[in-house]
């Protein structure tokens, strides 16, 4: 690991001011479970001059409900979110998503802000210097994406034009299904971004001097069946090949409200709006669930080696819908 300046931030405002001062040459460190491995691997073309520690910001790890909204500070730990009775009771999809992340040790360190902002897991992008990297690619500023002609089995099936890496965050998928908003702080003040809008083709929507301050989730109907399920290859610990989060409300078998988000398929979580719409006001049965699953994947365009994700995603959508009955 190369040397860098380490600064303990005391407030969100100070952290953002430091980001501005370093003009793209500083990064935030929360739990460090992702950042430190990318620094050690030196897989990116540029190396930060400064690391700004946000764990030293007092009171940024809250989990509280207020006026029908759950508010989570950016430094709330994933283990606390997974175990919180408040989250488990009213925001179950989020608690389940947090519980499936990595290992207990990582969840004890990892924060929700860091989980949302973690770097992609594309193996070309992460190829370490020790093995001959870094590999240049569109996400690092070049025009070429080696994954297009290469091994893209874990890449996106809803395609962007430049980068095909999928968002690795399980939590983001639950937040998308729960209509969460991400509160972003910067020198100009605060702005609120829908969880579904937080990820762009090449990075998050954060500016160079912005950070995640908190997450807000409106309370769902107490009758909504909330779920998070992930398909991964190594069950005890692995990123999702495909994941799904859902909140589906039925009254006597008739769907009155449906929210479904898919993960592992694009640069951010994807809301399956057509699938949600087709369920509304109808009696849930296998045929309707199969129709919704087809609609959820309608716009998908797999790469050369990842068409298998289509069937997994459809199966997860069907199970999420049928599971509520
Ligand atoms: C073995 C292993 C298995 C894993 N499995 C999974 C999995 O199954 N599912 C999953 O979702 N994740 C998985 N992860 C990733 C893990 O969840 C992330 O490393 C973790 O959530 C990152 O949180 P952190 O607080 O440690 O972030 P850090 O490592 O401190 O930061 C990560 C990135 O986010 C930025 N950042 C941190 N906080 C903020 C903020 N408030 N605002 C803006 N930017 C910020 C940092 O600058 C950095 O770029 C796995 C990781 C490992 C090592
Ligand atoms: S998919 Fe994205 S991160 Fe991976 S090599 Fe292509 S441009 Fe780089």
């Amino acid at each position: 690991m190369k040397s860098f300046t380490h600064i303990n931030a005391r407030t969100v405002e100070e952290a953002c001011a430091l980001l501005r001062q370093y003009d793209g040459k500083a990064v935030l460190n929360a739990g460090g479970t992702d950042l430190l491995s990318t620094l050690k691997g030196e897989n990116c073309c540029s190396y930060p001059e400064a690391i700004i520690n946000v764990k030293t910001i007092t009171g940024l790890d809250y989990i509280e409900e207020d006026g029908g909204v759950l508010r989570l500070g950016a430094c709330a730990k994933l283990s606390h979110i997974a175990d919180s009775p408040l989250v488990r009771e009213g925001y179950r999809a989020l608690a389940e998503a947090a519980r499936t992340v990595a290992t207990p040790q990582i969840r004890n360190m990892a924060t929700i802000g860091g989980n949302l902002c973690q770097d992609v897991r594309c193996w070309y992008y992460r190829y370490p210097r020790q093995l001959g990297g870094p590999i240049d690619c569109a996400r690092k500023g070049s025009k070429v994406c080696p994954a297009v002609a290469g091994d893209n089995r874990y890449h996106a099936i809803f395609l962007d034009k430049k980068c095909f890496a999928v968002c690795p965050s399980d939590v983001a998928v639950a937040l998308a299904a729960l209509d969460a908003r991400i509160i972003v702080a910067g020198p100009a003040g605060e702005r609120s971004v829908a969880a579904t809008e937080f990820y762009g083709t090449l990075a998050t929507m954060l500016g160079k001097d912005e950070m995640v301050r908190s997450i807000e989730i409106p309370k769902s109907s107490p009758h909504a069946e909330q779920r998070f399920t992930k398909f991964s290859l190594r069950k005890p610990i692995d990123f999702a090949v495909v994941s799904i989060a859902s909140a589906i409300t039925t009254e006597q078998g008739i769907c009155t409200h449906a929210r479904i988000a898919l993960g592992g398929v694009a640069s951010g979580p994807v809301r399956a709006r057509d699938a949600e719409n087709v369920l509304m006001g109808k009696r849930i049965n296998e045929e309707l669930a199969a129709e919704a699953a087809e609609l959820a994947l309608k716009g998908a365009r797999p790469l050369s080696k990842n068409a298998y994700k289509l069937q997994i995603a459809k199966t997860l959508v069907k199970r999420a819908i049928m599971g509520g009955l």
Side-chain angles (χ1 to χ4, degrees):
M1 204 187 270
K2 294 182 188 169
S3 59
F4 49 77
T5 304
H6 184 269
I7 307 165
N8 289 328
R10 299 286 162 200
T11 62
V12 169
E13 289 67 31
E14 185 191 359
C16 295
L18 286 163
L19 286 173
R20 169 163 282 196
Q21 183 188 322
Y22 277 92
D23 192 25
K25 296 193 178 106
V27 285
L28 302 180
N29 184 39
T33 61
D34 181 42
L35 181 73
L36 295 186
S37 69
T38 61
L39 293 181
K40 278 187 188 163
E42 294 181 38
N43 51 287
C44 288
C45 301
S46 60
Y47 206 81
E49 285 175 13
I51 307 290
I52 302 162
N53 180 17
V54 293
K55 289 190 300 297
T56 44
I57 300 176
T58 315
L60 203 61
D61 57 354
Y62 54 87
I63 301 174
E64 59 193 28
E65 197 175 30
D66 170 28
V69 178
L70 181 74
R71 294 177 214 278
L72 305 152
C75 287
K77 299 253 176 78
L78 296 185
S79 54
H80 293 165
I81 294 169
D83 293 342
S84 157
L86 187 62
V87 182
R88 290 173 69 82
E89 200 176 302
Y91 309 85
R92 189 164 190 85
L94 173 61
E96 287 182 9
R99 192 178 48 78
T100 69
V101 171
T103 60
Q105 293 89 340
I106 291 172
R107 293 195 291 276
N108 281 337
M109 290 301 295
T111 64
I112 188 164
N115 186 270
L116 293 174
C117 298
Q118 63 177 295
D119 227 336
V120 293
R121 289 272 152 183
C122 169
W123 41 32
Y124 297 103
Y125 182 80
R126 290 245 175 187
Y127 204 74
R129 185 174 293 280
Q130 295 85 323
L131 296 178
I135 296 177
D136 215 358
C137 76
R139 202 172 183 93
K140 294 175 186 169
S142 95
K143 289 207 168 86
V144 187
C145 166
V148 173
D151 191 333
N152 46 47
R153 74 184 88 164
Y154 299 126
H155 287 72
I157 54 174
F158 287 97
L159 300 185
D160 281 314
K161 289 199 178 76
K162 292 178 181 160
C163 172
F164 303 90
V166 296
C167 171
S169 167
D170 288 326
V171 165
V173 185
L175 294 184
L178 296 179
D179 288 329
R181 297 196 70 86
I182 296 169
I183 310 304
V184 171
E190 270 185 14
R191 62 193 178 101
S192 159
V193 183
T196 43
E197 305 296 321
F198 187 65
Y199 299 94
T201 309
L202 296 174
T204 67
M205 304 311 269
L206 291 175
K208 275 196 291 195
D209 49 13
E210 289 184 318
M211 66 175 279
V212 174
R213 183 197 285 273
S214 61
I215 291 95
E216 295 183 355
I217 314 174
K219 189 157 191 159
S220 301
S221 152
H223 305 297
E225 275 285 338
Q226 292 190 27
R227 289 199 153 69
F228 175 85
T229 312
K230 102 178 173 187
F231 180 93
S232 52
L233 296 182
R234 291 167 298 179
K235 293 299 165 205
I237 164 174
D238 209 351
F239 289 88
V241 171
V242 181
S243 65
I244 185 165
S246 57
I248 297 177
T249 313
T250 53
E251 281 173 28
Q252 295 170 346
I254 308 289
C255 177
T256 55
H257 204 68
R259 289 173 290 167
I260 299 169
L262 287 167
V265 296
S267 56
V270 174
R271 269 294 279 270
R273 305 264 180 207
D274 289 346
E276 294 171 2
N277 291 339
V278 83
L279 297 176
M280 289 296 291
K282 299 204 186 105
R283 181 165 296 282
I284 302 270
N285 56 34
E286 280 215 44
E287 200 185 351
L288 182 64
E291 185 185 350
E294 289 299 325
L295 286 170
L297 276 300
K298 198 178 60 179
R301 301 279 176 273
L303 293 161
S304 56
K305 292 185 170 58
N306 67 4
Y308 73 99
K309 283 194 177 192
L310 287 172
Q311 193 51 52
I312 296 172
K314 286 178 191 174
T315 302
L316 292 185
V317 174
K318 276 197 271 183
R319 283 188 191 164
I321 296 168
M322 294 305 293
L325 283 184

